[in-house]
Amino acid sequence: MNTSAPSGVEAAQERVLGWQTKLHRWAAQDEHKPFGDVFNLLCDPATLLVAWERVKRNRGSKTAGVDGQTRWHVEQRGVETILGELRQSLKSGTYAPLPVREHEIPKRGSGKVRKLGIPALCDRIVQMATTLVLEPIWEAEFQPCSYGFRPNRRAQDAIEQVRFFINPPRSYEWAIEGDVEDCFGSIHQGLLMAELRRRVTDKRVLGLIRQFLAAGIMRHGSLTATPSGTPQGAILSPLLANVALSVLDRRFEDAWNACTPHQRKWRMAKGHPSYRMIRYADDCVPRTLKEDRCRRSVHRMRCCTGDGGWPSAVALQGEAANHRELRRSRAGVVSVAETARRERVRCGSRRRARANHR
């Protein structure tokens, strides 16, 4: 592989896109293929430069971690110098992430607070580089019912998928409004690493992820250990959460794909349940045709996410896992979750909804 420094940002982006395309193609062609030598891609100067550009464009680049460094400090010292030092420390094995700085922000309308973890800026660059390597591999693994924190997917696509199922001829009538309690903070790190090892066997990359998970949280001036979970707010955390919850997706997707559309209609005519889950991050909306089937689906989700299942120590909130009848507005837009509102949905969302139904 060419590891020479790229001549510019565009050349770096082209190089990274090239090997990302290959990784995704190989992962899609063989669902059991292990990737055992991707650390060199992570340390490639082009990868680190693209990672820096993405971190720099984020508004959070002006927010410092525990080391007090922001985008301004990196540019003052020199981007090439910082990236060169990061690359050297990664290759020599001396890199060690700093604890994340905890910051509390109020949740709108609930009176509660959301705890965000803010990594040091250099750690954000390495996390972004790790995401660039892992994302094309796991995108081939994720199910079409997952919409949160994925490329070219958004909440409106999930809403359009719900609307697709409530309109004739499908006419699903009931939905579960589910939310995984403390999803980021309760992920079992051992089970997460085991799931990652299914596709990525490079010990250096896995060791780097383990370092991020064990870095700890700086809370009110004191260091707190993190035996479970991944910090909400870290760049790598959304991908890791999707990896963890992909097991839940596969369970519901296997149940859906076990029947053809004709078989599902026959089963529903006989009074058997038919349900389809849509998940946006840790929020999910399975839909069924009858109220009693909706309650059964709640039980299945609790069995899948409860103790002894995956992720361990993660359960659906009892108050949030409400079953409710779908309501159609005059525009035909479903109102299931409190945040579901009338919005203009892209044509691509409709095409994707129809494709996911097949």
Side-chain angles (χ1 to χ4, degrees), residues 66-208:
V66 295
D67 60 349
Q69 301 293 305
T70 64
R71 168 185 169 180
W72 180 85
H73 295 90
V74 173
E75 292 174 338
Q76 285 294 108
R77 280 194 59 192
V79 174
E80 292 185 2
T81 302
I82 296 294
L83 297 184
E85 292 175 355
L86 275 178
R87 183 171 186 264
Q88 183 60 36
S89 63
L90 286 168
K91 293 183 74 67
S92 64
T94 59
Y95 171 79
L98 296 173
V100 299
R101 179 172 67 87
E102 187 177 76
H103 179 67
E104 297 180 350
I105 59 174
K107 289 185 177 181
R108 186 166 47 187
S110 65
K112 301 179 180 178
V113 296
R114 186 187 304 276
K115 297 180 179 180
L116 297 181
I118 304 174
L121 192 64
C122 288
D123 293 340
R124 284 177 244 174
I125 298 174
V126 179
Q127 286 192 30
M128 180 61 75
T130 307
T131 302
L132 290 173
V133 173
L134 296 182
E135 191 172 63
I137 297 173
W138 281 98
E139 272 298 313
E141 184 86 7
F142 292 153
Q143 302 298 320
C145 62
S146 170
Y147 289 89
F149 307 115
R150 295 183 59 189
N152 300 319
R153 286 178 170 239
R154 59 177 188 169
Q156 285 72 27
D157 296 330
I159 294 173
E160 173 59 24
Q161 180 81 338
V162 174
R163 184 168 63 179
F164 176 80
F165 275 90
I166 70 168
N167 289 330
R170 290 152 296 276
S171 301
Y172 280 56
E173 298 174 357
W174 290 84
I176 304 168
E177 186 182 330
D179 176 61
V180 180
E181 184 178 9
D182 190 22
C183 178
F184 285 92
S186 300
I187 292 176
H188 192 293
Q189 294 181 359
L191 294 177
L192 172 62
M193 295 304 299
E195 182 69 11
L196 286 169
R197 280 194 292 270
R198 284 201 313 108
R199 298 311 301 265
V200 180
T201 57
D202 193 319
K203 293 183 179 180
R204 294 171 295 180
V205 174
L206 295 173
L208 186 62

